[in-house]
Amino acid sequence: MATTKSPGDNMSNPRAESLIEYPSLFPIKVMGHKVDGLVQAIGMIAKQFDPAFDPKTIELRESKGGNYLGVTITVTATSREQLDELYRTLSTHPMVKVVL
């Protein structure tokens, strides 16, 4: 007799529901108003969650109108919890408008 798994069966094993293999390089795009200190603030947050983060790898892209700045950081993701907390910290920063 075959048994079926309910959707909740993966709850006991969070790795089973993740499509990301850890550790891995993980790019995150952060957007905010183009103001002094935005890039440095994002870099400092990245460093909190990935001590090996290299600020020289930050990629910048200005909006057409020049009012916004897209900042791409690539961190070494070690767990879903780390990424969730990194996204939460970036999203709540007063200079940040969007985190993708």
Side-chain angles (χ1 to χ4, degrees):
M1 177 186 235
T3 60
T4 59
K5 288 188 173 190
S6 69
D9 287 348
N10 283 342
M11 294 302 200
S12 61
N13 183 3
R15 287 181 153 264
E17 65 185 57
S18 178
L19 299 176
I20 302 169
E21 260 188 58
Y22 300 104
S24 68
L25 293 177
F26 193 85
I28 299 172
K29 182 169 276 190
V30 184
M31 295 158 71
H33 285 285
K34 186 179 173 189
V35 295
D36 289 341
L38 174 66
V39 177
Q40 292 80 6
I42 292 169
M44 287 175 59
I45 293 170
K47 193 83 166 157
Q48 285 179 323
F49 291 90
D50 176 9
F53 174 74
D54 182 358
K56 290 184 241 159
T57 63
I58 294 175
E59 296 175 32
L60 304 177
R61 183 169 183 173
E62 202 172 299
S63 67
K64 267 188 180 177
N67 296 322
Y68 293 91
L69 189 63
V71 181
T72 302
I73 57 172
T74 302
V75 296
T76 301
T78 56
S79 70
R80 180 175 178 166
E81 293 78 17
Q82 174 215 27
L83 286 177
D84 287 348
E85 195 58 35
L86 175 54
Y87 270 88
R88 205 174 351 268
T89 302
L90 287 167
S91 297
T92 58
H93 193 281
M95 292 182 180
V96 172
K97 297 297 177 197
V98 178
V99 181
L100 304 171

